Amino acid sequence: MEITSAEFVISNTDVKKCPPGIFPEYAFIGRSNVGKSSLINMLTGRKGLAMTSATPGKTMLINHFLINKNWYIVDLPGYGYARRGQKGKSQIQRIIEDYILEREQMTNLFLLIDSRLEPQVIDIEFMGWLGEHGVPFSIVFTKGDKLKGGRLNTNIQQYLKKLKEQWEELPPYFVTSSENRMGKKELLDYIESINKELNTK
């Protein structure tokens, strides 16, 4: 699939103010500094579409981008950034949970994981929460260009092995790099296949 148009529609903190209509929404979420904005910009081919911030955890909003005039990329707030106060944290948690659990148009959640790190408790717990609530999600390993040789594959296999301790069936996963566009085609083809399925229902 080619992305021919990508436009920013609205930012807000209230799921009730998200755009009306029935277009499918693909939400992107991850810990602060996982490379979410860069990934969205890489997928859409628009450098400044999602704002990349020098300060991790600045996004406290649900951002909707209309793609090809028939589906949305939704940029959700990053979670787990320690320097944000408790009040800020719980507010963000509420925004995230309200969107994920209440937004009927949300078709798939892409959970971003830094491929360089070993499994983080916060991510594993978040996946468990998604599983408990029956939320369809996929894993997107980011920064795949940063590991040399077989390190990337080793890291990802270790991660999947860790997940198998809790999950009988693993969610789909993708390996990406915003620098060299690794994984762009696979991710967009996956979204396209879901969109086609929705259209035949």
Side-chain angles (χ1 to χ4, degrees):
M1 170 173 56
E2 286 295 316
I3 288 186
T4 51
S5 69
E7 54 196 285
F8 169 73
V9 178
I10 189 171
S11 286
N12 65 74
T13 56
D14 184 351
V15 68
K16 293 178 183 65
K17 293 182 184 152
C18 288
I22 55 162
F23 287 159
E25 298 183 359
Y26 296 87
F28 288 75
I29 195 167
R31 281 180 311 113
S32 306
N33 216 10
V34 73
K36 185 160 48 79
S37 301
S38 303
L39 180 76
I40 291 172
N41 292 340
M42 181 269 279
L43 288 175
T44 58
R46 309 284 190 283
K47 265 208 175 116
L49 188 68
M51 295 306 284
T52 51
S53 164
T55 313
K58 282 286 276 224
T59 310
M60 292 181 68
L61 299 163
I62 304 168
N63 297 303
H64 273 74
F65 303 99
L66 181 60
I67 309 298
N68 293 355
K69 305 213 181 303
N70 62 9
W71 57 278
Y72 286 101
I73 281 178
V74 181
D75 182 6
L76 292 174
Y79 58 81
Y81 187 56
R83 274 175 36 200
R84 199 181 275 130
Q86 204 51 47
K87 182 170 176 271
K89 266 193 197 162
S90 58
Q91 184 191 359
I92 289 211
Q93 200 168 340
R94 183 184 56 74
I95 293 169
I96 292 170
E97 289 185 9
D98 284 356
Y99 174 84
I100 290 173
L101 299 181
E102 292 177 24
R103 185 71 171 160
E104 285 178 17
Q105 293 90 325
M106 196 197 79
T107 306
N108 192 70
L109 183 73
F110 289 105
L111 175 60
L112 276 56
I113 302 284
D114 188 330
S115 63
R116 301 170 300 177
L117 305 178
E118 56 190 47
Q120 305 288 304
V121 173
I122 189 168
D123 293 328
I124 302 289
E125 285 178 352
F126 186 62
M127 286 183 219
W129 180 82
L130 293 173
E132 281 164 30
H133 289 89
V135 177
F137 75 97
S138 313
I139 298 172
V140 179
F141 291 101
T142 61
K143 308 188 182 187
D145 60 298
K146 301 285 190 265
L147 295 173
K148 296 290 174 270
R151 280 284 311 284
L152 176 62
N153 194 37
T154 305
N155 265 26
I156 286 164
Q157 290 312 315
Q158 281 176 340
Y159 209 104
L160 299 177
K161 189 177 168 192
K162 176 77 179 166
L163 290 182
K164 280 178 184 156
E165 292 171 14
Q166 293 178 356
W167 295 80
E168 283 177 30
E169 196 181 329
L170 293 179
Y173 70 92
F174 302 88
V175 184
T176 66
S177 159
S178 301
E179 296 295 316
N180 63 19
R181 301 200 182 99
M182 182 200 299
K184 177 176 181 175
K185 183 180 186 305
E186 290 79 358
L187 251 176
L188 291 178
D189 285 353
Y190 180 66
I191 291 172
E192 185 178 33
S193 70
I194 297 176
N195 283 343
K196 277 184 177 157
E197 235 172 83
L198 292 174
N199 288 333
T200 57
K201 282 183 181 172

